[in-house]
């Protein structure tokens, strides 16, 4: 088999809502280049599928006579006969209607989703989706294919997919890779606990040394995905007039947040006003320059702020009273001061005024240097404004985006109707044609989006209530306890990976980590509660019989063996097994050796894994920073990054020596069942 090239590798990652695909492996692994919705529409012919919704539209085709009339500018020759005029009139009356078909990429009406909670529910639709992805990328003939498998897929599903790719696309090599294992490849950790929060479910998997632990694996936890959070918001806000689309947009917005356990919901409505425009605050007293700010002092009847005459902080008016010792021009009259005999009083008054001005200047400088009050964070605000887009049909809207019913209400309320400004003459040029063309391009389904604002209360903090975090935490605990290697459980607790598009809700990852720490984490003082009070040189006695009184040996009367007792003691001290069986200290030395080995094993186990049932620390693993393209995207789709790493190793570097994929020869020999020996 010829070696595979980087530009020929095809990777497909099917998901419940979005399918990712890419042809070729770049030098620096990037996010998926192809993203399509995981849904298909039934075609006109039964058994066939279309990727986009196809709509029928009736259009009126202009008649031949109307076309000629427009081209001639409406001039009709005088020599036309009556028969020609009657034929032209009949042609105008009979307008022809044609049916055209348009694709609508924005709607999901009538769509069929082949995957639900990670499980394949419609194989015909799923095969049509995979075929559409393959034809869109158009790979060459010698193309290996790697598919990321969902945890909910069974062995029979793996065999069905293997048969489809080999029989349909004649691929030379095929590989199925578990999504949890792909995440470990992306993070570069051999042992980790994967928490994948998807659209309608959550999968929890413990991976030990790049081996997926199927026992105790949390597969497709219902109601723990993004759809469950949307339904939770809908149950709370539906009495207030919220729709499902509004709740979905609220969940994706920045004002929706999952609070950590034990955090109280905000109850106060007071908020700190922040000066956003210092110039406006200095001149008019308003905190900003936008609409809805406080009116200026001049508008309230007072004097405006600023330098100059007739202002609060500027020079006084010309009609002010003349101070002592000053003439009408404001010049100091020294002679009059000396003649009056009040020189000391005048100087004291001047010093007092100078001190007052200095104190006022210092107070103003301190006030300017003082830190401005910060705006309250979202978690401390009781109410917030949601900006959402509502889809409305164009028939019921006017040019300003209002419904006709709203216009009737405005007219009934007695509001004056604005007069339309007359448009300038355009000499027969239709300047609105490009605008209408753009509107037709954006509104193929005769609808538009209208932006509206609505106020939301503390319900936006209860998006994950109802046991979602607790159910995921219990599944994590069960998955880790199911790992047979006890010394690996602490490493699994210290390498949690939370990903999936369902975890994009603000504060979800932090709240889940806090829930795990609250329920299962034990403090270091509690971990040593049973061993800290015992001295290090005192060991627990064992039932070895070392302390049982032994019968005294009868002294023998035969001749001594001639062995030096000092040499025997020095030899048996380092290795008690060399002591002769007849030695009275043999049993005592043997028991001491057993005790020493037991305590060494206990210390080794305690230092390696600590407590197997409850963790002493819970941490979250971090993705390597050398994938620069993934920093802005995030780690929610890290499984696709791991698939690129695995494809590079399996198809290009390894070339099949480690049985990482299934080739054409193996498929011809073993059939679809051989995929179980080659899949990752």
């Amino acid at each position: 088999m010829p070696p595979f090239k980087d530009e020929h590798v095809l990777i497909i990652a099917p998901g419940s809502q979005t399918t990712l695909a890419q042809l070729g492996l770049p030098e620096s692994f990037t996010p998926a280049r192809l993203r399509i919705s995981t849904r298909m529409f039934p075609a006109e012919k039964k058994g066939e599928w279309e990727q986009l919704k196809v709509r029928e539209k009736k259009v009126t085709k202009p008649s031949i006579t109307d076309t000629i009339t427009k081209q001639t500018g409406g001039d009709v020759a005088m020599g036309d006969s009556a028969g020609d005029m009657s034929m032209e009139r009949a042609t105008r009356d009979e307008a022809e209607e044609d049916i055209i078909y348009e694709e609508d990429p924005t709607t999901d009406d009538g769509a069929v989703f082949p995957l639900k909670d990670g499980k394949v529910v419609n194989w015909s639709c799923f095969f049509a989706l995979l075929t559409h992805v393959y034809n869109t990328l158009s790979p060459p003939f010698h193309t290996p294919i790697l598919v990321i498998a969902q945890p909910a897929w069974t062995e029979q599903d793996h065999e069905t997919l293997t048969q489809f790719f080999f029989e349909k696309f004649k691929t030379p090599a095929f590989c199925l890779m578990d999504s949890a294992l792909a995440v470990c490849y992306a993070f570069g950790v051999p042992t980790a606990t994967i928490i994948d929060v998807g659209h309608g479910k959550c999968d929890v998997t413990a991976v030990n040394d790049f081996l997926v632990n199927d026992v105790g694996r949390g597969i497709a936890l219902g109601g723990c995905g993004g759809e469950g959070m949307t339904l939770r918001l809908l149950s709370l806000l539906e009495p207030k007039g919220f729709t499902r689309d509004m709740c979905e947009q609220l969940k994706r917005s920045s004002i929706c947040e999952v609070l950590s356990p034990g955090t109280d919901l905000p109850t106060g409505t007071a908020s700190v006003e922040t000066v956003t425009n210092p110039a406006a605050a200095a001149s008019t007293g308003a905190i900003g320059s936008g609409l809805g700010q406080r009116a200026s002092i001049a508008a309230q009847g007072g004097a405006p702020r600023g330098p100059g005459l007739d202002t609060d902080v500027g020079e006084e008016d010309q009609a002010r009273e003349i101070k002592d010792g000053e003439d009408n021009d404001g010049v100091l009259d020294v002679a009059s001061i000396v003649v009056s005999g009040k020189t000391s009083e005048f100087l004291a008054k001047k010093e007092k005024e100078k001190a007052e001005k200095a104190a006022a200047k210092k107070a103003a400088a301190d006030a300017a240097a003082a830190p401005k009050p910060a705006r309250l964070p979202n978690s401390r605000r009781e109410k917030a404004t949601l900006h959402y887009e509502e889809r409305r049909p164009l028939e019921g809207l006017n040019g300003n985006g209002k419904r006709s019913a709203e216009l009737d209400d405005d007219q009934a309320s007695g509001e004056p109707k604005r007069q339309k400004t007359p448009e300038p003459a355009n000499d027969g040029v239709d300047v609105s044609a490009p605008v209408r063309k753009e509107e037709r391009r954006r509104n193929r389904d005769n609808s538009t989006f209208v932006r509206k604002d609505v106020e939301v209360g503390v319900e936006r903090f209860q998006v994950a209530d109802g046991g979602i975090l607790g159910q995921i935490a219990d599944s994590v605990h069960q998955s880790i306890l199911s790992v047979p290697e006890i010394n690996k459980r602490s490493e699994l607790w210290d390498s949690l990976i939370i990903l999936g598009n369902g975890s994009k809700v603000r504060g979800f990852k932090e709240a889940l980590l806090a829930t795990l720490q609250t329920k299962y984490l034990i403090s270091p003082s509690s971990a040593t509660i049973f061993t800290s009070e015992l001295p290090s040189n005192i060991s627990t006695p064992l039932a070895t019989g070392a302390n049982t009184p032994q019968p005294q040996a009868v002294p023998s009367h035969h001749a001594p063996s001639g062995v030096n007792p000092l040499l025997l003691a020095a030899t048996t001290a380092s290795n008690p097994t060399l002591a002769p069986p007849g030695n009275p200290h043999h049993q005592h030395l043997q028991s001491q050796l057993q005790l020493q080995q037991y305590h060494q094993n206990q210390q080794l186990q305690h230092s390696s894994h600590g407590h197997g049932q409850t963790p002493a620390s819970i941490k979250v693993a971090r993705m390597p920073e050398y994938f620069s393209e993934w920093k802005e995207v995030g780690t929610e789709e890290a499984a696709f990054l791991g698939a690129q790493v695995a494809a590079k190793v399996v198809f290009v570097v390894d070339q099949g020596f480690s049985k990482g994929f299934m080739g054409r020869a193996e498929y011809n020999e073993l059939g679809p069942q051989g995929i179980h020996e080659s899949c990752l």
Side-chain angles (χ1 to χ4, degrees):
M1 179 184 298
F4 300 110
K5 298 182 180 180
D6 293 347
E7 57 270 17
H8 294 167
V9 178
L10 176 61
I11 302 175
I12 303 176
S16 298
Q17 294 293 310
T18 306
T19 297
L20 309 178
Q22 180 173 301
L23 177 62
L25 299 176
E27 294 183 1
S28 179
F29 298 139
T30 60
R33 298 175 182 175
L34 178 63
R35 300 174 59 93
I36 61 174
S37 181
T38 310
R39 50 79 167 140
M40 301 292 288
F41 295 90
E44 184 177 0
K45 186 177 180 180
K46 187 177 181 181
E48 296 183 357
W49 302 87
E50 299 286 347
Q51 173 62 23
L52 300 178
K53 179 70 174 181
V54 179
R55 298 180 180 272
E56 294 184 359
K57 185 178 181 181
K58 295 182 179 180
V59 295
T60 302
K61 185 177 180 181
S63 60
I64 300 176
T65 308
D66 292 338
T67 305
I68 297 175
T69 304
K70 291 181 180 179
Q71 293 178 355
T72 57
D75 298 334
V76 181
M78 297 301 295
D80 293 341
S81 60
D84 295 337
M85 295 296 295
S86 61
M87 184 180 299
E88 177 184 354
R89 200 177 299 110
T91 306
R92 291 178 179 176
D93 295 338
E94 297 177 359
E96 298 181 1
E97 291 185 355
D98 290 345
I99 299 177
I100 61 175
Y101 297 92
E102 292 182 346
E103 293 181 346
D104 186 4
T106 61
T107 184
D108 288 338
D109 297 339
V112 177
F113 291 84
L115 297 180
K116 184 178 181 181
D117 296 341
K119 303 176 182 178
V120 182
V121 296
N122 192 322
W123 281 103
S124 176
C125 182
F126 189 45
F127 289 156
L129 175 67
L130 296 176
T131 304
H132 173 73
V133 172
Y134 189 89
N135 295 335
T136 301
L137 297 176
S138 184
F141 181 75
H142 192 67
T143 298
I145 301 176
L146 187 146
V147 176
I148 300 179
Q150 294 291 330
W153 292 359
T154 62
E155 293 184 356
Q156 185 177 0
D157 297 340
H158 293 175
E159 297 175 4
T160 304
L161 282 174
T162 303
Q163 182 179 2
F164 172 76
F165 277 98
F166 274 107
E167 300 294 339
K168 178 71 174 180
F169 305 122
K170 310 298 181 182
T171 178
F174 179 71
C175 176
L176 274 175
M177 187 177 190
D178 193 280
S179 60
L181 186 59
V183 174
C184 291
Y185 271 79
F187 279 75
V189 290
T191 302
T193 303
I194 314 302
I195 306 172
D196 189 359
V197 184
H199 174 68
K201 49 83 178 178
C202 176
D203 298 320
V204 181
T205 308
V207 181
N208 183 17
D209 291 336
F210 292 112
L211 295 177
V212 178
N213 186 37
D214 294 328
V215 179
R217 186 178 189 181
I219 300 177
L221 302 178
C224 296
E227 181 67 15
M229 302 181 197
T230 304
L231 296 179
R232 173 63 180 171
L233 289 176
L234 183 61
S235 63
L236 295 174
L237 297 174
E238 189 175 12
K240 297 184 179 181
F242 276 67
T243 61
R244 187 190 179 282
D245 187 38
M246 295 173 62
C247 293
E248 181 68 22
Q249 296 186 37
L250 173 61
K251 182 190 69 176
R252 298 172 182 265
S253 65
S254 60
I255 65 174
C256 181
E257 185 176 357
V258 181
L259 302 181
S260 301
T263 305
D264 297 332
L265 296 177
T267 56
T269 58
S271 60
V272 179
E273 292 184 350
T274 305
V275 178
T276 59
N277 193 336
S283 59
T284 64
I287 63 175
S289 57
L291 297 178
Q293 305 293 342
R294 187 173 59 184
S296 63
I297 299 177
Q300 297 175 357
R305 301 179 182 181
L309 300 176
D310 297 326
T311 59
D312 286 345
V313 298
E315 298 292 339
E316 295 183 358
D317 195 1
Q318 294 179 357
R320 66 187 186 281
E321 297 180 359
I322 301 176
K323 296 182 179 180
D324 295 337
E326 295 182 0
D327 55 11
N328 295 334
D329 297 333
V331 180
L332 185 63
D333 191 357
V334 180
S336 61
I337 296 174
V338 174
V339 172
S340 62
K342 300 180 180 180
T343 306
S344 59
E345 296 178 358
F346 179 79
L347 294 177
K349 185 177 180 181
K350 283 295 183 180
E351 291 293 335
K352 183 178 179 181
E353 292 178 356
K354 185 178 181 181
E356 291 178 354
K357 289 182 178 180
K361 186 177 181 180
K362 182 179 180 182
D366 294 342
K372 298 179 180 180
R375 188 179 297 272
L376 288 175
N378 178 62
S379 59
R380 295 180 57 187
R381 287 184 290 171
E382 183 182 9
K383 296 182 179 180
T385 302
L386 170 66
H387 307 283
Y388 75 97
E389 294 182 349
E390 183 182 3
R391 195 171 188 175
R392 292 182 179 180
L394 291 176
E395 288 78 5
L397 298 177
N398 68 336
N400 297 328
K402 289 188 176 182
R403 296 179 180 176
S404 56
E406 296 178 0
L407 295 177
D408 296 340
D409 295 341
D410 295 342
Q411 295 177 1
S413 60
E415 296 181 359
K417 184 177 180 181
R418 296 181 179 180
Q419 299 293 334
K420 184 177 180 181
T421 305
E423 299 180 357
N426 50 17
D427 298 333
V429 180
D430 190 3
V431 297
S432 62
V435 179
R436 291 200 301 267
K437 183 178 180 180
E438 179 69 16
E439 291 179 354
R440 288 195 300 268
R441 186 185 65 84
R442 291 182 302 171
N443 305 314
R444 297 180 180 179
D445 56 345
N446 295 326
S447 64
T448 186
F449 290 96
V450 179
R451 184 171 181 177
K452 300 184 66 176
D453 298 338
V454 64
E455 195 175 56
V456 188
V458 296
E459 294 86 0
R460 68 186 191 277
F461 301 121
Q462 304 174 7
V463 60
D465 290 354
I468 295 179
L469 297 178
Q471 187 176 354
I472 298 177
D474 294 340
S475 180
V476 171
H477 183 253
Q478 180 64 29
S479 299
I480 295 179
L481 288 184
S482 301
V483 176
E485 291 82 0
I486 301 178
N487 56 347
K488 290 290 186 178
R489 294 178 183 175
S490 61
E491 188 175 355
L492 290 171
W493 281 112
D494 291 338
S495 301
L496 298 180
I497 300 177
I498 306 173
L499 73 159
N501 291 324
S503 64
K504 285 185 176 180
V505 181
R506 183 179 180 182
F508 179 84
K509 299 179 181 179
E510 293 78 5
L512 179 58
L513 182 62
T515 303
L516 288 170
Q517 294 175 349
T518 303
K519 297 186 67 173
Y520 302 109
L521 186 64
I522 60 175
S523 61
S525 59
S526 302
T528 58
I529 188 173
F530 299 105
T531 59
S532 60
E533 298 179 358
L534 297 177
S536 59
N537 57 350
I538 297 180
S539 60
T540 305
L542 299 177
T544 59
N547 299 327
T548 305
Q550 300 294 332
Q552 297 294 329
V554 180
S556 58
H557 299 283
H558 55 270
S561 60
V563 178
N564 190 349
L566 297 177
L567 180 60
L568 178 63
T571 305
T572 57
S574 60
N575 194 354
T577 58
L578 298 178
N583 195 307
H585 301 285
H586 175 72
Q587 295 181 356
H588 179 70
L589 295 175
Q590 194 72 21
S591 62
Q592 292 295 333
L593 178 62
Q594 293 177 359
L595 285 174
Q596 184 180 2
Q597 292 179 352
Y598 173 78
H599 289 300
Q600 290 179 356
N601 295 335
Q602 289 295 322
Q603 292 178 1
L604 180 62
Q605 291 182 0
H606 183 76
S607 61
S608 61
H609 62 80
H611 293 72
Q613 302 297 329
T614 52
S617 62
I618 300 178
K619 302 178 183 178
V620 177
R622 299 183 61 183
M623 179 184 289
E625 298 181 355
Y626 45 78
F627 296 111
S628 58
E629 290 79 2
W630 288 84
K631 292 182 179 180
E632 299 179 359
V633 178
T635 62
E636 286 76 16
E637 297 177 353
F640 195 83
L641 172 61
Q644 296 181 66
V645 177
K648 178 73 172 182
V649 174
V650 172
F651 291 128
V652 180
V653 178
D654 186 68
Q655 292 291 335
F657 288 103
S658 62
K659 303 287 292 184
F661 61 86
M662 186 177 185
R664 166 63 64 177
E666 297 174 351
Y667 177 78
N668 296 335
E669 180 181 356
L670 302 176
Q673 293 79 10
I675 191 62
H676 305 305
E677 302 179 2
S678 302
C679 62
L680 298 178

